[in-house]
């Protein structure tokens, strides 16, 4: 499996505090059947400003250490970027690191709302040759209230220009009932493309995917649940377009009545 969203690099953000914790997380990931992790420290979220070269260096050092320790895991560089009007400018300036230095940019919304004018921002990034991954939309209060927003957003662009990444813990009800309910709605309506751990430590937010894949299998079937942690993230780290017979559907509104 490939985990495209993970805060395992030591002491760069609110993820792993030190190298010991990093190595614990790497062992856990490998034991869960994860082969490749994209390290995605927070950037430009108002708290953390991590530059791409610092991340590239930390990833290279960690891969050397993993080889020494005999831990069978490959770490690739990336970044989780808070959406802001400066995003296109920063990207073109090389201040933002797309996943594995290719074409997909992992972005997160402020958790409380959907950013105004996000569609225009996506247009600018697409014109520059990038695609976007929305980090854990199921945890956004605006999307929890209006999951149909994602359907409309995705349909403004070519298929798979925007991918939605749901977090394993959300499906496991670890991020509250609203996130769990929304994750299920996104799965049922083909609005979730990737599953990732968004791991921050080895205890409360661990780098584990397989239990959540099992739950997703019961909703969308085994094959499609497997794609979310294999074929789709592989295309992401290679910077290649996704292809699948997978049409987004408009979430029905009746669920709101319950
Ligand atoms: Fe994250």
């Amino acid at each position: 499996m490939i985990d495209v969203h993970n805060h395992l690099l030591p002491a760069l953000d609110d993820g792993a505090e030190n190298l010991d914790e990093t190595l614990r997380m790497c062992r856990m990931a490998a034991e869960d059947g994860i082969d490749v992790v994209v390290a995605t420290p927070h950037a430009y979220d108002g708290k953390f400003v991590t530059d791409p070269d610092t991340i590239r260096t930390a990833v290279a050092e960690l891969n050397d250490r993993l080889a020494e320790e005999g831990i069978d895991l490959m770490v690739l560089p990336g970044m989780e970027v808070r959406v802001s009007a400066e995003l296109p400018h920063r990207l073109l300036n090389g201040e933002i690191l797309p996943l594995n230095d290719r074409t997909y940019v992992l972005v997160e919304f402020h958790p409380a709302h959907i950013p105004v004018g996000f569609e225009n921002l996506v247009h600018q990034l697409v014109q520059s040759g990038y695609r976007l991954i929305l980090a854990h939309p199921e945890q956004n209060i605006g999307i929890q209230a209006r999951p149909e927003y994602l359907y409309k957003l995705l349909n403004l662009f070519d298929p798979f220009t925007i991918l939605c990444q749901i977090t394993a813990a959300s499906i496991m009800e670890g991020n509250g009932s609203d996130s769990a309910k929304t994750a299920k709605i996104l799965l049922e309506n083909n609005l979730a493309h990737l599953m990732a751990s968004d791991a921050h430590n080895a205890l409360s937010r661990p780098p584990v995917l397989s239990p959540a894949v099992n739950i997703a299998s019961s909703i969308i079937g085994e094959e499609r649940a497997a794609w979310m942690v294999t074929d789709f993230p592989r295309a992401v780290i290679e910077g290649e377009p996704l292809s699948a017979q997978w049409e987004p559907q408009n979430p029905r509104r009746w669920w709101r009545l319950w």
Side-chain angles (χ1 to χ4, degrees), residues 83-85 87-89 91-92 107 116-132 134 149 152-158 161-162:
V83 168
S84 75
L87 207 157
H89 171 74
L91 196 50
L92 293 178
V107 299
V116 176
F118 181 62
E119 301 80 1
N120 294 334
L121 206 68
V122 179
H123 273 296
Q124 291 179 56
L125 297 178
V126 168
Q127 279 172 0
S128 302
Y130 293 100
R131 304 180 185 89
L132 273 87
L134 292 189
Y149 165 81
K152 290 173 185 161
L153 175 70
L154 265 53
N155 276 322
L156 292 175
F157 302 93
D158 289 340
T161 298
I162 301 174

Side-chain angles (χ1 to χ4, degrees), residues 6-97:
N6 198 310
H7 300 264
L8 52 59
L9 291 179
L12 285 184
D13 61 2
D14 57 348
E17 283 186 6
N18 51 48
L19 186 59
D20 282 349
E21 176 108 64
T22 299
L23 293 174
R24 251 197 313 277
M25 292 170 76
C26 289
R27 284 193 189 91
M28 283 183 86
E31 279 168 18
D32 190 50
I34 296 170
D35 312 287
V36 179
V37 168
V38 187
T40 53
H42 291 286
Y44 307 109
D45 65 347
K47 283 185 287 186
F48 304 104
V49 180
T50 315
D51 69 280
D53 279 342
T54 300
I55 295 170
R56 291 185 188 104
T57 302
V59 165
E61 288 173 359
L62 178 56
N63 279 320
D64 287 347
R65 185 62 189 264
L66 292 175
E68 285 170 23
E69 297 276 334
I71 300 172
D72 195 11
L73 186 75
M74 179 191 285
V75 182
L76 301 173
M79 195 182 253
E80 179 180 18
V81 188
R82 178 67 60 84
V83 168
S84 75
E86 291 84 41
L87 207 157
H89 171 74
R90 285 189 171 132
L91 196 50
L92 293 178
N93 268 0
E95 296 168 35
I96 286 174
L97 182 54

Side-chain angles (χ1 to χ4, degrees), residues 5-7 13-14 40 42 80 106 108 135-136 165 198-200 205:
H5 182 172
N6 198 310
H7 300 264
D13 61 2
D14 57 348
T40 53
H42 291 286
E80 179 180 18
L106 179 67
E108 62 168 342
H136 40 63
Q165 172 259 305
D198 193 12
H200 280 64
R205 300 176 75 179

